[in-house]
Amino acid sequence: MLRPTSTTLQLREMILNGELAPDERLREAELALRLGTSRMPIRQALPVLAQEGLLVRSGQRGYAVRAFTPDESLDALRLRASLEGMAARTLAERGASPEILDGLRACLAEGDALFTQREITVDEELRYGEMNARFHALVLAGARIPLLEELAARCNLVPFAAPRAIAFAHLDKRTVFDLLFYAHRQHHSIVEAIAAGKGDRAEFLFRDHAVTQENSMHMERTGQVAVRIEEFPEAARAASGH
């Protein structure tokens, strides 16, 4: 798995907000000029975005933006949430192994460390995305249903449907913090439900968890607005340490 960088995040956001149009052929020199960087970070980022399903090969060595619709991404995200919800229910009802619970709690601790300040940096966004991908993968692996993992992996190939696909070009830093913080509080609740063997609650929380990703990228069909911590008193108290 290729690792994303801050340049990857910038290009991902440019695709999300339409600055890089569907089927547009990407040229390293032009992108480097637009982002104020050298060609090397661009060259490293393009295969990562292709791996995420955002780009397709064009010519012998080039890439172009993959054509997709927001509804395709939204449908894949919701389908993935249903599959992961089933995995969370199964994991809770069958009982999670100590190894899976340790892995999930390690993700919680890593996420907690990112929110010690009231702001999150670009590098921390990337670290959150990597942690989030591991968290979701652990739940799927813990359910021990290979077909579920295969179907979820297929959903992850649709642009912006994967847990790692974080893009916030249109949002201010405070809203970014609020969205990620609330999503991570959901992680805590999911692990608590799994550890307690509460399958119904684990499934519900995982399905609801996908709504946060929809809001983060303005993919929702219903016109909902991005969440803020003030709307969730329990999360706000946790952020302030009270």
Side-chain angles (χ1 to χ4, degrees):
M1 174 68 70
L2 300 169
R3 298 188 66 84
T5 64
S6 58
T7 301
T8 311
L9 182 59
Q10 288 178 287
L11 291 172
R12 186 189 292 152
E13 290 173 339
M14 290 169 72
I15 294 170
L16 177 64
N17 62 29
E19 290 181 55
L20 297 175
D23 298 321
E24 179 178 345
R25 175 78 182 270
L26 302 183
R27 294 173 173 78
E28 291 179 6
E30 293 178 7
L31 291 173
L33 184 63
R34 289 174 69 173
L35 297 182
T37 186
S38 67
R39 293 177 63 171
M40 183 56 68
I42 304 294
R43 188 171 302 137
Q44 293 171 337
L46 296 182
V48 177
L49 294 172
Q51 193 175 63
E52 292 180 5
L54 300 181
L55 304 180
V56 294
R57 299 292 299 190
S58 178
Q60 291 186 336
R61 293 167 46 183
Y63 294 92
V65 178
R66 177 180 170 184
F68 67 96
T69 67
D71 277 354
E72 288 174 331
S73 295
L74 184 55
D75 289 339
L77 175 57
R78 290 181 174 175
L79 178 56
R80 194 202 83 209
S82 296
L83 294 167
E84 290 175 337
M86 180 178 176
R89 170 191 281 273
T90 303
L91 180 56
E93 292 178 346
R94 290 181 177 175
S97 69
E99 293 76 17
I100 291 293
L101 285 176
D102 285 347
L104 291 172
R105 287 167 177 152
C107 289
L108 297 182
E110 183 178 341
D112 290 345
L114 298 176
F115 297 104
T116 55
Q117 305 296 324
R118 288 290 306 175
E119 185 175 286
I120 193 162
T121 66
V122 169
D123 285 342
E124 288 168 338
E125 283 184 44
L126 290 167
R127 286 167 54 195
Y128 181 89
E130 293 295 299
M131 178 277 295
N132 193 46
R134 290 198 305 277
F135 183 93
H136 286 243
L138 278 165
V139 172
L140 285 164
R144 302 190 303 278
I145 305 177
L147 181 58
L148 265 184
E149 289 189 82
E150 292 173 16
L151 293 172
R154 176 65 185 87
C155 291
N156 289 343
L157 295 177
V158 178
F160 297 106
R164 184 179 282 104
I166 295 175
F168 294 113
H170 58 292
L171 299 177
D172 60 76
K173 290 183 178 180
R174 171 65 188 281
T175 303
V176 171
F177 180 95
D178 287 350
L179 280 164
L180 293 183
F181 180 84
Y182 179 61
H184 193 55
R185 295 309 303 168
Q186 290 177 312
H187 285 165
H188 276 272
S189 297
I190 289 166
V191 174
E192 289 173 6
I194 289 172
K198 297 179 179 178
D200 286 347
R201 178 162 173 76
E203 181 174 15
F204 168 79
L205 288 169
F206 231 116
R207 286 171 176 262
D208 188 57
H209 188 51
V211 176
T212 306
Q213 186 170 348
E214 292 179 26
N215 288 344
S216 74
M217 294 184 289
H218 283 193
M219 288 199 300
E220 65 275 25
R221 293 190 183 104
T222 59
Q224 298 171 356
V225 297
V227 68
R228 300 196 71 82
I229 279 184
E230 289 84 351
E231 298 175 39
F232 299 88
E234 181 180 349
R237 286 195 298 272
S240 64
H242 296 101

